[in-house]
C-alpha cells in the first residue's frame, strides 16, 4: 500500500519514494529472469509480540498496535512524533509481516531447509529504534532476526552487513554493547550533513563496553562512490573483521539505494556490484546468509540489483566486475592533505588500517629482500622454475597442457564453469596461450605462494623479470607470503592483497596451482577457492599433483559452489608480521589502485589507538593529518 494516502502535501515528497512498486517491479524482474522459479518460496507469517519485544519496548509496541484503529487525524499526529515515517491503518499488519518474513527466512536457513535467501519486504527496518519509528521503518526486521537467531537457533555470533546507503542507526543502537552481534554499515554521511545527520554514524562509533570493536561504520563524505570503493572497503575493512569474527549467520540489510541512479544515495556503483558483495559474504558462516530488503528507490536499478543478489545466492557466477579504476581520487581542492586516495571518504583518512592478522615472520625477510631487487627476483624464479621442471616428464606436460586447453575451450563455450586437473608432476605445461590470466601457485618450499597476473608461462619468467623494472611502474608480479601454520596471515594476504589485485586485474581465467605439502588445510584451501570464484565469472582451473588426491573432494565441492567451512575465530597477530604485510601492500599499491588504502603520510602523523578491545587483534590506527 501507499503510505502517502491522505497525508498533506508537505509530507509527500519523502514518502513518494517508498512505494509499493518497489516490491512489484523487483518481483516481476525475478519472475521474468527465471530466477523466481529456481527459488523456494517460503510462506510469511506475522512476527509475534514476543518476537517484536526482542528489540522494541512494550510501550512502543502498544502504541503501534493502536494505529489500525486511529482516525486519519490521529494517525497524522502519531506520525509527527517520529522522523520521516508514515503510518497508515495497514502498516502495523505489514510491519508484522515484514519482520515475520525475516524470521521465516532465518528459520529456513538455520535449520538447513534452504542454503540462503532473500526476504523482499516493506516496510523496511534498519532505522527503527527500541521505542521509535524512523525513516520509513516501524519494526527493526534485521535486529529482531539477529536476536531471534541467537535465541531460537543458538547462534553465538551474528554478522549484520548493512549495504543500504543510509546508516541503520536503529541496528547500531540495538547492539552497541553486544559483542555477539557485529554491525557493519557504510553510508552517505557528508560530514553529518546527510540524513539522519548523526554524530554517531561516524567512523569513531565502534561500540561500547563489551561491544567495543563490534560496530564498524564507514561514512562516505562524498557522493558518487563506485564499484572500486565498495570492493575496497569489503576487502580491506569488512572481510578481515568478518573472517576474524567468524559468524554463525550473516544477515544483510540489503538496501539498494547505494546503487547508481538512486535519488537518495547519489552513488555510482552498478547493480552487478551486488553480485560481488554477495559472493564475498557467501563463504562466511558456512554460507548461511539471509538478505532482507531495506531501501532502494530507483525503480530501474532496484530490480536489477535484486536480481544480481538473488542470482549469486543461487550460485550463479558473478559477472565480470566493471569499471574498477581504484578507489576515489583525493580531492585536490581539499584543505586537508589526505593520506590516502580513498580518504576523500574521510573514513580511511582517519582509520588507516585495521590491523588484524599476522603472517610468518621468517618468510617476510625473504620477501623483503626480493622486493626492489631485480637480481634476486631472477634468482628466485629460476630456482622456482627448476623445482617445477625437476623430474618433469614431457608426456605428462603434454597431457596437462591438452587437458587444460580442453577445459578452457569448454569454458569459452560456457559448457563448463570451472575444473581441475591432476598431473603427475608440475612442469612448464601451464599454457602460453592463455591471455589475461591470473596464475596462482602454491608451492611447498619456503616461498609458499605467488601470484602472477600475467599471460606468461613459467618458462617465460626470466623474460618477464628482464622486462620488469621494479623501480618504474610495472611490477606485475608479487609474492604472497604464507606462514604454513598461520591461517590468520594467509587469510589477511588473500583478502587484503590477492582479492583486490585479482579484481583490478580482471582476469578471464584463474589458474590455481596447488603443489604438494602446500601447508594449506582443507578449509583454508576451500576459502581461497571459493573467494577466487568471484573473479573471471567463476572460471577457475585448479592444477594439483596426483599425490594430492585427498584434496580432490574439497576442491570439487568448492568449485561446485559449496560454502567453505569456517576457519574458526582467528587469533592475534605479531606486529612485525602485520607491518611486513602492510609494507608489501604499500609497495604494490603504486601499480594497483585497489590496494590503496593508505596514501603517503605527507605530514606528521599521530597514531591513536581508539580501540584495542576484543576483536582480538583489532587495533584501529588513526592517522591525523596535521597540516
Ligand atoms: C530516508 C529519509 C529523509 C529526508 C529528509 C530502511 C530504508 C532507507 C530509508 C531512508 C529514509 N529521508 N527529510 O530504510 O534507509 O532507505
Ligand atoms: Zn536507505
Amino acid at each position: 500500500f501507499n503510505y502517502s494516502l491522505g497525508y498533506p502535501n508537505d509530507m509527500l515528497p519523502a514518502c513518494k519514494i517508498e512505494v509499493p512498486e518497489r516490491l512489484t517491479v523487483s518481483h516481476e524482474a525475478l519472475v521474468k529472469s527465471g530466477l523466481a522459479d529456481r527459488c523456494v518460496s517460503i510462506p510469511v507469517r506475522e512476527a509475534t509480540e514476543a518476537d517484536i519485544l526482542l528489540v522494541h519496548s512494550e510501550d512502543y509496541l502498544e502504541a503501534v498496535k493502536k494505529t489500525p484503529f486511529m482516525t486519519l487525524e490521529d494517525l497524522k499526529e502519531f506520525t509527527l512524533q517520529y522522523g520521516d515515517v508514515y503510518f497508515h491503518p495497514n502498516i502495523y499488519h505489514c510491519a508484522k509481516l515484514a519482520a515475520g518474513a525475516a524470521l521465516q527466512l532465518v528459520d529456513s536457513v538455520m535449520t538447513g531447509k534452504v542454503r540462503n535467501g532473500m526476504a523482499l519486504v516493506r516496510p523496511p527496518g534498519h532505522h527503527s529504534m527500541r521505542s521509535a519509528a524512523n525513516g520509513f521503518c516501524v519494526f527493526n526486521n534485521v535486529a529482531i532476526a539477529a536476536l531471534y537467531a541467537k535465541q531460537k537457533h543458538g547462534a553465538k555470533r551474528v554478522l549484520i552487513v548493512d549495504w543500504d546507503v543510509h546508516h541503520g542507526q536503529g541496528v547500531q543502537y540495538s547492539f552497541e554493547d553486544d559483542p555477539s552481534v557485529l554491525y557493519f554499515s557504510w553510508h552517505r554521511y557528508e560530514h553529518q550533513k546527510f540524513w539522519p545527520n548523526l554524530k554517531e554514524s561516524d567512523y569513531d562509533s565502534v561500540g561500547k563496553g563489551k561491544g567495543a570493536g563490534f560496530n564498524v561504520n564507514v561514512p562516505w563524505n562524498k557522493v558518487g562512490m563506485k564499484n572500486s570503493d565498495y570492493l575496497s572497503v569489503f576487502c580491506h575493512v569488512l572481510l578481515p573483521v568478518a573472517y576474524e569474527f567468524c559468524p554463525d549467520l550473516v544477515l544483510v540489510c540489503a538496501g539498494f539505494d547505494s546503487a547508481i541512479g538512486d535519488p537518495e544515495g547519489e552513488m555510482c556503483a552498478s547493480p552487478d556490484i551486488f553480485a560481488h558483495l554477495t559472493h564475498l559474504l557467501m563463504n562466511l558462516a558456512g554460507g548461511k546468509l539471509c538478505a532482507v530488503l531495506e531501501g532502494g528507490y530507483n525503480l530501474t536499478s532496484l530490480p536489477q540489483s535484486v536480481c544480481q543478489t538473488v542470482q549469486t545466492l543461487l550460485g550463479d557466477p558473478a559477472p565480470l566486475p566493471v569499471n574498477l579504476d581504484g578507489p576515489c581520487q583525493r580531492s585536490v581542492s581539499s584543505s586537508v592533505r589526505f593520506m590516502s586516495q580513498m580518504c576523500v571518504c574521510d573514513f580511511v583518512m582517519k582509520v588507516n588500517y585495521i590491523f588484524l592478522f599476522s603472517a610468518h615472520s621468517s618468510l617476510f625477510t625473504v620477501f623483503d629482500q626480493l622486493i626492489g631487487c631485480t637480481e634476486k627476483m631472477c634468482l628466485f624464479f629460476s630456482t622456482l622454475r627448476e623445482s617445477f621442471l625437476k623430474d618433469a616428464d614431457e608426456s605428462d606436460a603434454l597431457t596437462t597442457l591438452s587437458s587444460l586447453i580442453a577445459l578452457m575451450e569448454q569454458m569459452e563455450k560456457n559448457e563448463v564453469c570451472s575444473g581441475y586437473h591432476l598431473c603427475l608432476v608440475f612442469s612448464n605445461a601451464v599454457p602460453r596461450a592463455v591471455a589475461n590470466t591470473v596464475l596462482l601457485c602454491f608451492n611447498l618450499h619456503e616461498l609458499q605462494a605467488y601470484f602472477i597476473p600475467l599471460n606468461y608461462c613459467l618458462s617465460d619468467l626470466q623474460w618477464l623479470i628482464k622486462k620488469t623494472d621494479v623501480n618504474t611502474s610495472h611490477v606485475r608480479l608479487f609474492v604472497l607470503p604464507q606462514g604454513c601454520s598461520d591461517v590468520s596471515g594467509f587469510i589477511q594476504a588473500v583478502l587484503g592483497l590477492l582479492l583486490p589485485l585479482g579484481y583490478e586485474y580482471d582476469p578471464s581465467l584463474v589458474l590455481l596451482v596447488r603443489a604438494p605439502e602446500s601447508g594449506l588445510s582443507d578449509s583454508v584451501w576451500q576459502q581461497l577457492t571459493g573467494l577466487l570464484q568471484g573473479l573471471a565469472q567463476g572460471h577457475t582451473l585448479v592444477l594439483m599433483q596426483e599425490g594430492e588426491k585427498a584434496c580432490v573432494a574439497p576442491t570439487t565441492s568448492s568449485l561446485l559452489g559449496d560454502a567453505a567451512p569456517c576457519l574458526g575465530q582467528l587469533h592475534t597477530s605479531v606486529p612485525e608480521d602485520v607491518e611486513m604485510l602492510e609494507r608489501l601492500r604499500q609497495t604494490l599499491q603504486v601499480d594497483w589502485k585497489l590496494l590503496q588504502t593508505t596514501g603517503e603520510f605527507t605530514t606528521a602523523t599521530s597514531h591513536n589507538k581508539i580501540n584495542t578491545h576484543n576483536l582480538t587483534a583489532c587495533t584501529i590506527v588513526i592517522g591525523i593529518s596535521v597540516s
Side-chain angles (χ1 to χ4, degrees), residues 270-312:
S270 56
D272 51 10
I273 199 64
F274 295 104
H276 293 279
L277 303 185
T278 305
H279 179 88
L280 290 169
L281 298 175
M282 280 171 67
N283 284 294
L284 291 159
K288 292 194 288 299
L289 187 156
C290 302
V292 181
L293 183 69
E294 297 282 0
Y297 308 101
N298 177 314
L299 297 178
T300 308
S301 85
L302 170 66
Q304 293 173 13
S305 302
V306 168
C307 286
Q308 289 291 336
T309 306
V310 170
Q311 192 171 327
T312 307

Side-chain angles (χ1 to χ4, degrees), residues 126-127 136 162 164-167 195 255-258 262 264 294-297:
H126 70 154
H127 298 302
F136 311 153
D162 189 338
D164 187 281
V165 86
H166 300 92
H167 182 220
W195 189 91
F256 298 102
D257 42 14
S258 41
D262 192 277
E264 281 282 316
E294 297 282 0
Y297 308 101

Side-chain angles (χ1 to χ4, degrees), residues 53-173:
L53 291 173
L54 285 169
V55 166
H56 299 280
S57 68
E58 281 189 37
D59 289 352
Y60 176 64
L61 174 58
E62 289 308 313
V64 177
K65 234 166 141 176
K66 296 199 179 91
T67 57
F69 312 105
M70 288 182 187
T71 64
L72 208 57
E73 280 311 301
D74 290 345
L75 270 180
K76 281 176 202 164
E77 207 186 303
F78 183 76
T79 287
L80 284 176
Q81 59 181 314
Y82 305 118
D84 303 285
V85 63
Y86 307 91
F87 280 86
H88 178 282
N90 281 341
I91 205 168
Y92 174 54
H93 176 62
C94 292
K96 281 191 290 186
L97 287 175
L103 301 184
Q104 289 286 83
L105 179 56
V106 166
D107 279 336
S108 308
V109 167
M110 290 306 284
T111 57
K113 188 181 162 215
V114 298
R115 184 192 292 227
N116 54 38
M118 176 155 191
L120 291 174
V121 303
R122 284 179 69 237
H126 70 154
H127 298 302
S128 140
M129 291 162 270
R130 182 172 148 77
S131 297
N134 182 263
F136 311 153
C137 303
V138 176
F139 298 134
N140 201 316
N141 308 321
V142 168
I144 295 171
L147 289 174
Y148 179 86
K150 284 181 61 185
Q151 189 193 63
K152 173 133 187 243
H153 298 285
K156 293 254 168 333
R157 287 176 303 278
V158 180
L159 168 68
I160 301 178
V161 177
D162 189 338
W163 71 44
D164 187 281
V165 86
H166 300 92
H167 182 220
Q169 85 279 34
V171 184
Q172 175 171 312
Y173 298 153

